[in-house]
Structure formats: C-alpha cells, structure tokens
Amino acid sequence: MAAGNASPVRREQVAKLMRLARAQSKAADRDVLSVEFEEARAATHAALRESTPEEKYQARRALGSAAN
C-alpha cells in the first residue's frame, strides 16, 4: 500500500468482513432460502458498505488464499 493515496486499512474491519463472509457461506451451504442466510447476507452487505476498497480487497485476498 503506497503512502499518501491509499485508503487506510482497519484490521478489525478486514477481520469482520472475513468472519461475515464465512458465516454467509456456511448459511448458504445449509439453505439459501433460510432466514439465517438472509440475515448473514444483510450483515455482510452492511459491513461492505462501511468498508474502504482496500479493506474489501484485503478480505477477498485473505479468503481466497485460505481456500487454496
């Protein structure tokens, strides 16, 4: 991340995005029509709206590397 023009990265926000994405994925694995999935999806979307582009990128990158 280059200094000056990059968005700050809040580690707790990246961790929150990762946690919520995992919860949404687990709920989807059980039943995408469930209330649990809808709640998890809504929480994930709310957290995404609060996140900077760099935080979103870092969370996606971490989740992607965890899957490999």
Side-chain angles (χ1 to χ4, degrees):
M1 182 166 78
N5 63 355
S7 303
V9 175
R10 300 167 291 175
R11 288 182 185 206
E12 67 278 356
Q13 187 66 15
V14 174
K16 180 179 180 179
L17 289 172
M18 293 171 60
R19 180 178 46 80
L20 290 170
R22 283 191 208 107
Q24 181 179 345
S25 180
K26 285 181 182 181
D29 288 345
R30 287 186 211 107
D31 184 4
V32 294
L33 299 177
S34 69
V35 172
E36 179 186 8
F37 173 73
E38 288 300 322
E39 290 172 350
R41 189 175 80 133
T44 301
H45 285 235
L48 286 168
R49 286 190 299 274
E50 299 170 354
S51 303
T52 67
E54 185 64 21
E55 290 165 345
K56 294 174 191 177
Y57 170 77
Q58 291 295 331
R60 279 193 309 269
R61 186 171 158 215
L63 287 169
S65 66
N68 293 330

